Amino acid sequence: MLGDYKTDPEGILTSVSLIDTEAETIQIVDIGSQYTFRNLARGDDDTALVLGTDGALRVIDPTTGEIVRTAPVIDAWEVPEEWQQAQPAIKVMDGMAYITEPATNELHVVDYTTGEVWKSVELPQTPNEMVVVSG
């Protein structure tokens, strides 16, 4: 499992937790940037994906906790004061990460195995919530 890991009384998140339910262990990984709950995803290959406020996507090996790749995707952004406000979000399907950038009304499709931004599209509205479906 991938989860956030809050130790800061102000709620600032900079570490994630990798939880092995079989071994009943938890590994903490400092990603070196802030993030929010909308910035966590699991890759199709079980990797942990975290989008930081620096605009970079981190790919974490769930076994070792090592950040194996960091790829710039969007411009740096700030965590909004109210969690309901639009903020970048990440979802994964079929080997691609879909990342919203509310500041520019864009959606970026990223091959997280290479870090390449495959495609970016402008959206007619500011994205806030997102679900990715096939078909």
Side-chain angles (χ1 to χ4, degrees), residues 16-75:
V16 296
S17 59
L18 299 172
I19 303 163
D20 184 330
T21 57
E22 282 187 10
E24 297 181 2
T25 60
I26 183 170
Q27 182 175 14
I28 308 306
V29 179
D30 184 345
I31 67 156
S33 177
Q34 282 187 272
Y35 68 93
T36 74
F37 69 98
R38 290 189 178 148
N39 309 131
L40 303 176
R42 291 300 299 264
D44 295 332
D45 56 358
D46 289 333
T47 52
L49 306 176
V50 185
L51 179 69
T53 56
D54 59 359
L57 177 65
R58 289 144 180 88
V59 179
I60 304 170
D61 181 308
T63 304
T64 65
E66 175 188 0
I67 298 174
V68 295
R69 184 175 306 97
T70 301
V73 177
I74 64 175
D75 289 336

